[in-house]
Amino acid sequence: MNTPLPDVPEVRVVGLPQLTAGFDLVQRLDLGMHLKVHGALEPMVGERLADLAEAVSLSGRGGAGFPFAKKLRAVAKSAIRRGVRPVVVVNGSEGEPACRKDTVLMCRAPHLILDGALLAAEALGARLLAIAVTRDSTEASLREALSERGLSDRRGRGLRVRVVRTPERMVSGEASAVISAVNGGPSLPAGRKVRASDSGVGGAPTLLSNAETFAQLAIATRLGAQRYGNTGLMDEPGTVMLTVSGSVARPTVLEVPVGVPLRYVMELCGAPPLPQAVLSGGYHGAWIDGLTAQGAIISKKAMATAGGALGAGAILPIGPETCPLGESLRVANWLAAETAGQCGPCKLGLPAAAAGLSEVLGGGGPTSLEALRQVTQAVRGRGACKHPDGSVRFLQSTLKAFTDDLAAHVLGGGCGRPTQGVLPLPAPGYEEEGIPSGEKLAVDWTLCKGHGLCAGVVPELIRMGPDGYPTLADAAVPMHLRANAQRAVRRCPELALRLEAAPAEQAPASRKALPRGQS
């Protein structure tokens, strides 16, 4: 099925709107309507701004959840120590197929994001504000908003503002990948642990946070800590933006007060009364079983207690009519294809993990399940960026959440349900090096003699089994491994290996390649 989410899905609000105020009046708040709805914003000195962010417990809304006040103070301290002007970066690189909340804000309330970013830039004395985006819609909206304010990247101005386009890839939203793009390089993680607050854009201390975080800062500045805290929970005040998709009647972006029951959020979007499970936090998140989800509430602590994660605010229930392991395999294959190809755990480990899950679903037995567990353990904590860890978190959560289905596939003939493709993935349309090629490797077992040359050429896709014969994933070959796969086919002395078209549901999830680091 796989219907990708639209750029701007339906938007709903529970309680009084804050970030989404004015959405009932117009499709997009231009500067005039923005000021009518929200009012003017007074500047605030750095320490007062940090105190406010601390008082409202403002943390990053992009998934990591790092306290914003700590970031702000760290950047200010580093800038003062080094005697350089810092840089502010809005991370709008929403490359995950299940997330649209930042896209909605950038398309419909761009000035609210700019308010927060300009507030931080003025408090820090920054001379450059960069905004990273992944889509035509968000780029057009933000460029129009900057034009309405008279802001540009021209030299000689007090504050230069630059819009940077990044590819719509999972790894493009990683902090160091965004900084690389702003610097004019590829949108790839740096592969080394360097704090942006010490050295970011152009080597300067850099304050980087996602679009919703800056919008929340603008709301908190207008309301003040006390009024902001009247909504939500004592330890997690305010509202949160969610993207709800999966087995729902209509994919929706919602603004809800922290503390709203998860069950109510799903009911608003037409989810099944009792879903099998709910994927929380997106494709780097974790599954919450259906019964536990009925009693969970929307908050970082509560979601973690329930075994899930709030993360980037993606909520994806799945109904009883689809195979949860088949759904997870589709996501695992996509995550493997999203590798930056810069480290072994990502380049080799994630395809091996996806292949292992495919073998389990194909009736590989307890041996294949144990091999999958070993692969995920080997990948964890060893990647150059957060993508391998996030992907392994998803896979390990899948194995833990669906034990009955796992047993049916491992010990029997499967669960008997089709994979309906309810978890959204990108639409066909482009080919990029991390994207499946539309082909898969196949073996003619009547010819194979177990020489093992193929496993040496393309170990990402083929490994030798305990019986001395190759085992390989029933999954599409990623574009960046296609040449190696062709080489493995040519090197097979028995002519037993071939490339063939992948099944339709494994056809390339391709998208139009976007220029990296282009402003």
Side-chain angles (χ1 to χ4, degrees):
M1 187 172 80
N2 185 36
T3 302
L5 298 184
D7 277 13
V8 183
E10 177 184 352
V11 179
R12 303 187 71 178
V13 61
V14 175
L16 294 175
Q18 293 184 359
L19 299 173
T20 58
F23 281 22
D24 57 333
L25 302 174
V26 291
Q27 276 298 110
R28 177 186 179 275
L29 279 74
D30 61 15
L31 182 57
M33 182 59 73
H34 168 76
L35 292 173
K36 288 180 182 178
V37 170
H38 293 286
L41 184 63
E42 295 296 327
M44 189 176 289
V45 297
E47 190 54 39
R48 279 190 61 204
L49 192 63
D51 288 343
L52 173 66
E54 190 172 53
V56 300
S57 302
L58 181 60
S59 57
R61 302 299 177 94
F66 192 82
F68 186 82
K70 286 187 177 180
K71 274 188 184 181
L72 193 63
R73 289 189 174 111
V75 171
K77 188 177 296 184
S78 181
I80 292 170
R81 183 180 68 250
R82 294 175 53 190
V84 297
R85 295 281 192 178
V87 176
V88 174
V89 176
V90 177
N91 186 358
S93 297
E94 200 168 39
E96 184 168 349
C99 293
R100 287 294 185 273
K101 62 171 180 86
D102 283 353
T103 299
V104 163
L105 287 174
M106 288 185 284
C107 287
R108 299 197 61 183
H111 288 284
L112 200 59
I113 298 164
L114 290 177
D115 276 351
L118 292 169
L119 195 69
E122 185 164 351
L124 289 169
R127 287 293 178 263
L128 174 64
L129 166 61
I131 307 167
V133 297
T134 55
R135 299 183 176 93
D136 291 341
S137 57
T138 51
E139 180 178 6
S141 177
L142 283 164
R143 288 194 183 279
E144 184 176 351
L146 293 176
S147 177
E148 290 170 352
R149 289 179 180 244
L151 296 171
S152 72
D153 193 24
R154 291 197 301 271
R155 294 185 182 277
R157 303 181 68 91
L159 176 68
R160 297 170 59 196
V161 184
R162 179 185 308 166
V163 177
V164 178
R165 187 68 178 262
T166 63
E168 193 178 336
R169 294 285 307 278
M170 190 76 162
V171 295
S172 297
E174 201 269 342
S176 62
V178 172
I179 288 171
S180 176
V182 176
N183 282 332
S187 300
L188 295 173
R192 63 186 191 280
K193 309 298 182 185
V194 178
R195 291 186 300 181
S197 59
D198 292 329
S199 180
V201 175
T206 300
L207 175 70
L208 184 148
S209 204
N210 85 308
E212 185 194 343
T213 309
F214 284 109
Q216 291 283 1
L217 180 66
I219 292 294
T221 304
R222 284 182 168 91
L223 295 180
Q226 184 173 352
R227 286 179 61 199
Y228 187 90
N230 290 338
T231 302
L233 303 175
M234 287 288 293
D235 55 345
E236 293 183 45
T239 64
V240 63
M241 296 287 285
L242 304 173
T243 310
V244 184
S245 61
S247 295
V248 296
R250 52 197 173 276
T252 307
V253 169
L254 298 97
E255 182 183 12
V256 304
V258 179
V260 164
L262 174 59
R263 179 185 69 254
Y264 180 63
V265 167
M266 293 190 295
E267 286 176 358
L268 284 176
C269 302
L274 184 59
Q276 287 189 72
V278 180
L279 181 57
S280 60
Y283 296 154
H284 277 177
W287 291 98
I288 303 174
D289 71 81
L291 287 175
T292 303
Q294 296 300 300
I297 64 172
I298 299 296
S299 83
K300 287 186 295 183
K301 290 183 180 179
M303 298 285 274
T305 300
L310 185 56
I315 305 293
L316 301 105
I318 59 169
E321 70 286 342
T322 189
C323 172
L325 296 178
E327 294 287 347
S328 298
L329 176 59
R330 293 176 62 251
V331 174
N333 284 331
W334 179 79
L335 289 170
E338 288 294 286
T339 173
Q342 297 185 124
C343 67
C346 196
K347 183 179 179 181
L348 305 179
L350 296 187
L357 183 57
S358 177
E359 290 173 15
V360 169
L361 265 68
T367 302
S368 63
L369 178 58
E370 181 57 31
L372 173 57
R373 296 187 193 278
Q374 290 178 0
V375 168
T376 56
Q377 287 292 340
V379 170
R380 190 172 185 177
R382 296 177 53 236
C385 70
K386 297 175 182 177
H387 182 55
D389 278 359
S391 302
V392 164
R393 185 184 306 115
F394 167 77
L395 284 166
Q396 291 179 330
S397 174
T398 298
L399 299 183
K400 182 179 179 180
F402 303 111
T403 52
D404 291 345
D405 297 273
L406 202 58
H409 282 277
V410 170
L411 303 176
C415 66
R417 290 169 292 180
T419 299
Q420 297 193 348
V422 298
L423 299 182
L425 290 174
Y430 92 21
E431 292 187 353
E432 196 169 90
E433 64 176 7
I435 300 302
S437 65
E439 296 177 308
K440 72 170 187 173
L441 287 168
V443 176
D444 184 340
W445 298 111
T446 65
L447 299 176
C448 180
K449 304 298 182 185
H451 295 292
L453 295 178
C454 54
V457 175
V458 60
E460 301 92 337
L461 301 176
I462 305 174
R463 60 182 184 274
M464 299 306 291
D467 59 355
Y469 284 83
T471 62
L472 64 163
D474 185 20
V477 175
M479 286 296 293
H480 72 283
L481 294 178
R482 190 169 182 270
N484 286 358
Q486 291 173 328
R487 191 176 304 116
V489 170
R490 291 194 299 267
R491 290 194 60 183
C492 178
E494 307 296 336
L495 304 181
L497 190 65
R498 65 180 183 273
L499 275 171
E500 60 183 32
E505 69 176 21
Q506 292 175 342
S510 54
R511 299 152 291 179
K512 184 180 179 182
L514 299 178
R516 290 170 171 165
Q518 181 177 332
S519 61

